[in-house]
Each structure stands twice: as structure tokens, then as C-alpha cells.
Amino acid sequence: MSLRQLLLRLPRYLGASGPLRGPLDTISSVISWRGQSSRSPAQWSQVVSEAEKIVGYPTSFMSLRCLLSDELSNIAMQVRKLVGTQHPLLTTASQRSLAEITELIHTALLVHRGIVNLNELQSSDGPLKDMQFGNKIAILSGDFLLANACNGLALLQNTKVVELLASALMDLVQGVYYENSTLAKENRITDDIGISTWKKQTFLSHGALLAKSCQAAMELAKHDAEVQDMAFQYGKHMAMSHKINSDLQPFIKEKTSDSLSFNLNSAPVVLHQEFLGRDLWIKQIGEAQEKGRLDYAKLRETIKAGKGVTSAIDLCRYHGNKALEALESFPPSEARTALENIVFAVTRFS
């Protein structure tokens, strides 16, 4: 995007009254940034696109090229001159920066998750030195994104927002640690974590960032604790619903590759195991083993025949309804409608 294009679009970014129009517009901003890396049904793209129209820019606006752009750096320098004034552009740039910071943290986590376990490499994966180099790039690029996020947080000059996002980052690290400690390999059965433990771990690794970013958006907009809590609840339950929807995809897609593996600690599997009991679950795992490898196609059909999938759908809708309940405390608006549609996109399965 050229400097001229950005300046031409600036009035659209600001809207008629300068900063974002209402409390839910900032949440729409956070959600729309996060949506670009989601794995959801086809309608997800449509509802996120509608949310983008409200906040005034597409998710493609944020990229590494933009981070390194001289034109955007020059604009940022000019905006800094407004610090200490009451110009509406400054307020808007604080709200939009929060959405960018949230996406930076989320992307950095995804980049770091791309690190390969060198001990599990096979000859077909490529030369060892190339895989080692790839790991170094993943670590450095992820750290670069996190450093930019920390710098952006400092520029917001809001202690509570910094505290919220820092605690969300801590939750992410803790959640990923739990995931790695219970990660099931092909020749191992999943740990007996139970759905309550699964919920706690999933909130840490997938829900905390969105929930606390929504709360931070309300703090930036100077709303009281009650409004901030409702924003937190929306983000929390929306993220949980989204994760369960993602976990369900291998079990509900009409066309699924027989060789496609799925996480044995995903919501449908954990619920299936709870209904079945540990002993029977171990037996089913054994029956799905073939020449030392797990036959995911056979295990998938076994799980689909039980109660795990339907229970996961019910749980997804439960969290979706809780997210909608949180939105009811806000006045009707186009932003609220957009956020409701985002919930509908991940809770409709027919």
C-alpha cells in the first residue's frame, strides 16, 4: 500500500466521528485481525469480511511488509507528534494498535509452533542442516514479532492493557506447555485428561489472548469494569467455540482423507473417551493399530459411532450461546450484529 493510498483511506479509517464509534467496534477490530489464521467453515470468511467493513480495513493490511515499510514508519513518526493532544486520530491509532498487537502475538505463537523436533525427522523430510536452519529462522522470526508486539504495548501507555496482554502471553506459554506434555504420538494413547482439564488447557492456549484482548479494548475505550467483563466473556466463549469447531472438522467434513490424522486430545476424542471409559478406549486404540501405526480412518469411524462428536457439537453451541449472552448487555448496533454472526459461523453445523 502506497503512502498516497493510505492517506486517501484515512478518513474511512476514522469514520464520521473520529475514533471507533462504539465499544463493540473495538472488539470487531480484534476479532477481524485474529480471523485471518482461523480454520473454520466457509462462512467464516464472509462474516469476518463484514466485521472488517465496520472497523474500516481488511486483515491484509497487517503484514511483515507493513512492519518494515518506510512509508508506514514515516506516518508513525508523524502520529507520535500528536502525543499529548486530544486529536481523534491518536485515540483511533491506540485502538487499532491493540488489534495489531493481538495478531502479532498470535502469529508469533504459530511461527514458534512450526519448530520441528529434529529427533523425529525421517530421511524423506529433507537434509538435517536445512531443517536446523529452518528452526533457527522460526525462532528468530517469532521473537521478532513478539518484540514488535511488546514495543507496541509500551506505546499504548496504558498500564492495565500492558498487564492484560502480558498475562495473556503467559497463559499462552503455559497452555502450549500443557499441550506438549500431553501430546499423543501415533503409537501412544492420549492421556486421560478429562473434559474439565481440556477446557482449562484450551482456554490458556486458545482463549486467553482473545478474551483479554477484548477486555483491553474496553479499557482503552475507558469503559467500566462491568463492560470489560462482558467483553472478556465474549472473547473467552467465542474462542472456545471456535476451537471446538476446529476440532470437529475431521469428524464432520463430508470429504475427509482416510490418511488424515487428528489430535487424540481434541474435544470429540476427549468426550468420546469420557463416555466410553478408560479401559474400553484403550481397547479401541489397540484395535485401530496396524503394523505399529494408528489407523486414523478406522479410529475416526469408531469415534463417530459414539457420543463424542454430538457432545462436542453441543459444547460448541453452549459456548456460542454464552458469547451471545455477553453481547446482550451491549446496545444493538452493526458491530454487535457482526459479532453475533461470527458466533453463528462456528456454531452451525448443518
Side-chain angles (χ1 to χ4, degrees):
M1 178 183 294
S2 68
L3 177 61
R4 178 176 177 274
Q5 289 174 318
L6 185 59
L7 291 175
L8 287 174
R9 296 179 67 176
L10 196 55
R12 181 179 170 217
Y13 293 166
L14 295 177
S17 60
L20 295 173
R21 296 181 293 280
L24 294 189
D25 295 281
T26 51
I27 298 183
S28 292
S29 178
V30 171
I31 296 285
S32 62
W33 281 108
R34 188 174 169 82
Q36 63 180 321
S37 57
S38 64
R39 297 172 59 190
S40 297
Q43 63 265 34
W44 175 266
S45 299
Q46 181 180 351
V47 296
V48 169
S49 177
E50 292 299 319
E52 289 168 351
K53 293 176 183 177
I54 296 173
V55 298
Y57 57 85
T59 57
S60 59
F61 179 79
M62 186 62 202
S63 66
L64 286 176
R65 184 173 62 181
C66 288
L67 284 176
L68 302 175
S69 167
D70 290 336
E71 293 176 343
L72 289 178
S73 297
N74 290 333
I75 291 176
M77 291 178 63
Q78 299 302 319
V79 170
R80 288 193 185 103
K81 295 179 180 179
L82 297 176
V83 174
T85 72
Q86 298 298 317
H87 195 282
L89 174 60
L90 188 63
T91 303
T92 304
S94 295
Q95 293 170 347
R96 298 198 188 285
S97 291
L98 175 62
E100 296 173 10
I101 291 165
T102 300
E103 184 59 26
L104 278 174
I105 295 174
H106 180 62
T107 303
L109 178 68
L110 294 179
V111 172
H112 277 160
R113 282 188 169 185
I115 297 173
V116 175
N117 186 344
L118 299 178
N119 294 326
E120 297 179 358
L121 286 180
Q122 299 179 2
S123 58
S124 59
D125 294 324
L128 178 61
K129 62 178 182 179
D130 291 343
M131 303 302 285
Q132 290 174 329
F133 178 75
N135 278 357
K136 292 178 181 179
I137 293 298
I139 293 171
L140 290 174
S141 56
D143 290 348
F144 170 76
L145 294 175
L146 284 176
N148 275 275
C150 292
N151 181 63
L153 275 176
L155 293 176
L156 291 179
Q157 298 183 345
N158 187 303
T159 304
K160 184 173 181 180
V161 170
V162 173
E163 180 183 347
L164 282 169
L165 270 294
S167 66
L169 183 56
M170 181 176 67
D171 290 338
L172 276 173
V173 174
Q174 186 177 358
V176 172
Y177 173 80
Y178 284 144
E179 281 187 357
N180 290 338
S181 65
T182 59
L183 186 63
K185 298 180 181 179
E186 283 193 23
N187 59 348
R188 295 183 185 177
I189 61 173
T190 181
D191 292 336
D192 188 15
I193 61 174
I195 194 61
S196 60
T197 303
W198 180 90
K199 286 183 179 181
K200 294 176 182 177
Q201 295 181 5
T202 301
F203 171 74
L204 290 173
S205 58
H206 292 84
L209 179 60
L210 186 58
K212 293 182 178 180
S213 294
C214 291
Q215 181 180 351
M218 298 299 96
E219 165 65 22
L220 279 180
K222 302 187 184 305
H223 290 284
D224 59 28
E226 183 179 355
V227 173
Q228 290 184 31
D229 182 63
M230 288 298 101
F232 176 91
Q233 295 300 324
Y234 174 83
K236 170 187 174 181
H237 291 290
M238 173 59 218
M240 295 294 289
S241 183
H242 183 274
K243 178 60 169 64
I244 298 170
N245 181 289
S246 178
D247 285 355
L248 279 163
Q249 294 308 303
F251 301 95
I252 62 176
K253 282 184 177 179
E254 294 183 0
K255 296 181 179 180
T256 303
S257 172
D258 288 342
S259 61
L260 180 65
S261 63
F262 51 87
N263 192 336
L264 294 182
N265 283 325
S266 62
V269 181
V270 172
L271 286 166
H272 174 79
Q273 178 181 335
E274 277 205 345
F275 283 114
L276 200 64
R278 182 70 172 174
D279 292 339
L280 286 177
W281 170 240
I282 294 176
K283 181 180 178 181
Q284 288 186 349
I285 289 286
E287 292 173 347
Q289 294 278 353
E290 185 175 334
K291 297 181 180 179
R293 297 179 66 88
L294 191 59
D295 186 341
Y296 281 97
K298 184 176 182 179
L299 187 61
R300 183 186 300 111
E301 294 306 313
T302 300
I303 294 172
K304 288 171 66 175
K307 298 179 180 180
V309 174
T310 55
S311 296
I313 291 175
D314 291 340
L315 185 61
C316 180
R317 288 171 174 163
Y318 165 79
H319 285 290
N321 288 333
K322 297 295 287 186
L324 293 175
E325 287 178 14
L327 287 178
E328 290 178 357
S329 61
F330 296 95
S333 66
E334 59 179 354
R336 172 175 156 175
T337 299
L339 294 173
E340 290 171 342
N341 288 337
I342 287 174
V343 176
F344 296 146
V346 297
T347 55
R348 290 175 178 166
F349 296 93
S350 57

